[in-house]
């Protein structure tokens, strides 16, 4: 539709005009534009007013605004799925909607989340809050109907106004004038619409409580309803309210029933949140796959229960108070599989739980420490990279010294050192100099290039959702046997 401004996305070299609508109802019924996660992205706005994305704190005025450049190693600002935004011009608001597609296929993205859930459900008996079912679209249609026809009543209010400006003068007005002889204005009675009624107060409480149990996209749409001017006049009392007015109104009654059903749904443990980026989901999925494949080699777990934090990032967490690892055992061999555990910077602090130290870029996604009969034998490190790497890897092999930032990070892991005297009570200089046997960069995209970069034990491997990953499993088994 025609708007007094122009709004575009520029994704890589592709410029896409963003359609905007004056009503949220029309916005959510029209087909949204589609973007691909982790591509260069710029927002271009020309006109008066401000652009606001629901998931971003910053607002944008006229100009060119860079949202993402992967060269700067920043996080992509949008999560996979539907996103909302608006353009505000004076008293007018225009809404727009777009979909972020994951870098892997949608089916692979969903499969990773399902496999994470399945793994964690089988790993522990504890429970974590989960969002398993979407609110029906009818829910938001009802909210729109309430927005158009809320429960309201006319109220009589008194306001001070200049003399002879209208309004009803009655006994209360005259009494006020007698008590305030110096007042130059007069108290007049006026009629004003009142929405601060028990039915709306109950509705507001229910909607605010629902924000904790719905998806980010659903929460955004509910917040937009709560931000309406008339809803802002509704108080939230400190105690729960039951309103017969709301029960008699079919729209209010149905909203209450839908939310009550959602509240009563069973809590399921181990559900990966939809509010995670594709890269974060791939890292979690990859870590759990490594554990799964090690268990297929005959290792059994003897410690932590795994769960997912119920927060915005949704990290894997453990039942340990201070440690983040799974311990796998087979006969006299123990593997400790750490998740995002920072390497030390001080050789004097080396311990059985942190056998490595380095100087920078020191938090690998997955670290496997090998112990045999109580003796530390070395470490294998895996970093999960949610992007195409084969071309960069092929180019990097031509260099004897890593220059790319990613390769600097991986080489820092490879060059980590240890202190066998503190770990094994016997100095082993060869182990201390090279405790990290290999460092893998792992991608979900098919790659045939596994050549080790000269001078560094770095390799590129594929770990792909929906695949048997036989090559990856064979290489992992080889590492375990070698250690």
């Amino acid at each position: 539709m025609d708007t007094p401004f122009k709004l575009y996305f520029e994704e890589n070299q592709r410029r896409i005009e963003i359609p905007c609508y004056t009503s949220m109802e029309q916005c959510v019924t029209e087909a949204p534009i589609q973007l691909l996660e982790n591509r260069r992205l710029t927002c271009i706005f020309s006109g008066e007013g401000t652009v606001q994305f629901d998931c971003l704190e910053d607002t944008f005025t006229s100009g060119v605004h860079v949202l993402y450049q992967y060269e700067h190693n920043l996080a992509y600002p949008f999560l996979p799925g539907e996103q909302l935004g608006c353009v505000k011009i004076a008293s007018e608001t225009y809404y727009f909607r777009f979909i972020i597609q994951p870098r892997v296929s949608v089916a692979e993205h969903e499969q990773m989340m399902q496999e994470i859930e399945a793994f964690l459900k089988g790993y522990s008996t504890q429970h974590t809050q989960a969002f398993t079912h979407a609110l029906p679209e009818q829910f938001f249609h009802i909210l729109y109907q309430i927005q158009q026809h809320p429960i309201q009543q006319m109220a009589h209010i008194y306001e001070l106004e200049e003399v002879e400006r209208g309004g009803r003068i009655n006994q209360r007005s005259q009494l006020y004038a007698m008590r305030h002889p110096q007042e130059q204005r007069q108290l007049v009675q006026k009629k004003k619409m009142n929405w601060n009624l028990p039915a709306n107060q109950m509705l507001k409480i229910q909607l605010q409580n629902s924000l904790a149990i719905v998806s980010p996209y659903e929460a955004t749409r509910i917040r937009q309803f709560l931000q309406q001017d008339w809803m802002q006049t509704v108080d939230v009392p400190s105690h729960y309210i039951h309103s017969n007015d709301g029960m008699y109104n079919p729209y209010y009654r149905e909203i209450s029933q839908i939310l009550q059903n959602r509240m009563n749904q069973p809590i399921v443990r181990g559900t990966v949140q939809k509010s995670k980026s594709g890269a974060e989901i791939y890292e979690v999925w990859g870590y759990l796959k490594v554990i799964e494949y090690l268990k297929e080699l005959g290792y059994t777990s003897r410690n932590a229960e795994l769960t997912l934090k119920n927060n915005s990032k949704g990290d894997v967490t453990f039942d340990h108070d201070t440690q983040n690892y799974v311990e796998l055992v087979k006969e006299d061999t123990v593997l400790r599989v750490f998740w995002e555990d920072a390497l030390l910077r001080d050789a004097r602090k080396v311990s059985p739980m942190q056998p490595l130290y380095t100087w920078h870029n020191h938090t690998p996604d997955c670290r496997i420490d090998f112990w045999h009969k109580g003796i530390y034998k070395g470490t294998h490190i895996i970093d999960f990279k949610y992007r195409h790497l084969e071309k960069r890897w092929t180019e990097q092999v031509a260099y004897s010294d890593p220059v790319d930032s990613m390769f600097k990070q991986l080489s820092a892991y490879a060059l980590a050192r240890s202190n066998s005297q503190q770990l094994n009570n016997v100095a082993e200089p060869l182990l201390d100099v090279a405790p990290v046997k290999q460092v893998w960069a792992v991608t979900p995209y098919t790659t045939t290039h596994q050549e080790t970069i000269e001078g560094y034990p770095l390799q590129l491997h594929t770990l792909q959702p929906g695949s048997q990953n036989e090559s990856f499993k064979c290489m992992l088994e080889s590492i375990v046997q070698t250690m």
Side-chain angles (χ1 to χ4, degrees), residues 135-390:
L135 288 171
E137 189 59 35
Q138 179 191 11
F139 176 88
F140 297 100
H141 175 72
I142 296 170
L143 277 189
Y144 179 75
Q145 296 301 322
I146 293 176
Q147 175 182 333
Q148 302 302 309
H149 307 287
I151 294 177
Q152 57 190 15
Q153 66 179 206
M154 194 65 69
H156 295 282
I157 64 169
Y158 286 84
E159 293 181 347
L160 288 170
E161 288 193 351
E162 299 296 328
V163 178
E164 299 179 353
R165 285 196 57 185
R168 182 182 174 190
I169 305 298
N170 57 17
Q171 185 176 3
R172 181 173 174 177
S173 306
Q174 295 170 353
L175 182 62
Y176 181 86
M178 291 173 58
R179 291 177 175 175
H180 302 82
Q182 304 301 321
E183 178 63 66
Q184 300 298 313
R185 297 170 297 173
Q186 61 185 1
L187 191 69
V188 298
Q189 186 187 63
K190 289 190 170 184
K191 293 182 178 180
K192 186 176 182 180
M193 194 60 68
N194 177 33
W195 294 280
N196 191 24
L197 304 171
N200 291 325
Q201 292 175 355
M202 181 176 70
L203 175 65
K204 190 168 187 176
I205 291 174
Q206 290 176 322
L207 291 176
Q208 288 182 339
N209 289 341
S210 75
L211 295 175
I213 60 167
V214 298
S215 71
Y217 173 63
E218 293 168 337
T220 294
R221 297 176 71 178
I222 291 172
R223 287 192 186 96
Q224 287 171 340
F225 176 87
L226 293 172
Q227 289 167 1
Q228 295 175 93
D229 291 341
W230 71 269
M231 199 40 134
Q232 294 295 308
T233 67
V234 177
D235 296 331
V236 178
S238 58
H239 60 282
Y240 192 78
I241 293 175
H242 178 77
S243 168
N244 287 332
D245 290 341
M247 293 302 99
Y248 293 145
N249 185 297
Y251 293 135
Y252 283 69
R253 184 172 64 248
E254 193 158 359
I255 285 288
S256 178
Q257 187 62 52
I258 291 173
L259 291 178
Q260 189 64 37
N261 290 341
R262 169 57 67 87
M263 292 287 189
N264 291 336
Q265 286 178 0
I267 294 175
V268 180
R269 183 195 180 283
T271 299
V272 63
Q273 293 189 351
K274 307 297 183 182
S275 58
K276 290 175 67 62
S277 72
E280 290 173 328
I281 288 174
Y282 183 65
E283 290 170 2
V284 172
W285 177 82
Y287 173 78
L288 296 180
K289 275 295 180 184
V290 168
I291 295 173
E292 178 183 319
Y293 294 153
L294 290 173
K295 294 175 83 172
E296 289 180 5
L297 295 177
Y299 288 85
T300 58
S301 171
R302 73 176 185 189
N303 70 333
E305 304 290 356
L306 292 180
T307 184
L308 292 181
K309 274 185 181 177
N310 189 28
N311 61 14
S312 59
K313 190 175 181 183
D315 277 342
V316 172
T317 58
F318 303 78
D319 287 349
H320 302 278
D321 292 331
T322 58
Q323 292 141 359
N324 51 342
Y325 68 94
V326 171
E327 193 167 85
L328 300 174
V329 180
K330 182 179 179 182
E331 298 175 351
D332 293 330
T333 301
V334 175
L335 311 183
R336 293 194 183 105
V337 188
F338 286 82
W339 162 258
E340 291 191 342
D341 189 64
L343 304 185
L344 297 171
R345 291 177 179 267
D346 189 341
R348 296 169 297 179
K349 295 181 179 180
V350 163
S351 71
M353 294 302 165
Q354 292 184 300
L356 303 177
Y357 65 93
T358 184
W359 296 276
H360 57 87
N361 298 329
H362 63 298
T363 309
D365 296 329
C366 176
R367 189 185 88 236
I368 308 174
D369 294 338
F370 294 82
W371 293 77
H372 183 68
K373 293 184 178 181
I375 303 298
Y376 173 63
K377 293 295 185 179
T379 292
H380 179 54
I381 288 179
I382 303 174
D383 240 37
F384 301 101
K385 304 296 185 183
Y386 187 65
R387 54 188 183 269
H388 290 281
L389 293 179
E390 185 152 4

Side-chain angles (χ1 to χ4, degrees), residues 381 383-385 387-400 402 404-411 413-414 438-443 446-454 456-462:
I381 288 179
D383 240 37
F384 301 101
K385 304 296 185 183
R387 54 188 183 269
H388 290 281
L389 293 179
E390 185 152 4
K391 181 179 178 181
R392 293 174 66 189
W393 201 272
T394 303
E395 293 172 349
Q396 194 65 34
V397 170
Y399 297 93
S400 59
D404 181 280
S405 61
M406 180 191 72
F407 289 93
K408 287 181 179 179
Q409 176 195 46
L410 297 176
S411 64
Y413 299 153
Q438 281 192 18
V439 177
W440 290 357
V442 174
T443 173
T446 302
T447 176
T448 58
H449 193 89
Q450 296 179 354
E451 183 178 350
T452 300
I453 294 178
E454 183 179 354
Y456 298 91
L458 311 181
Q459 291 189 3
L460 177 63
H461 292 280
T462 298

Side-chain angles (χ1 to χ4, degrees), residues 108-135:
E108 290 173 328
H109 186 84
E110 290 296 324
Q111 181 166 350
M112 284 193 294
M113 292 191 291
Q114 291 169 8
E115 289 186 7
I116 291 172
E117 293 174 9
F119 185 95
L120 294 179
K121 286 176 184 176
Y123 205 86
S124 175
T125 58
Q126 295 190 357
H127 293 270
T128 295
Q129 182 71 49
F131 312 141
T132 55
H133 301 286
L135 288 171

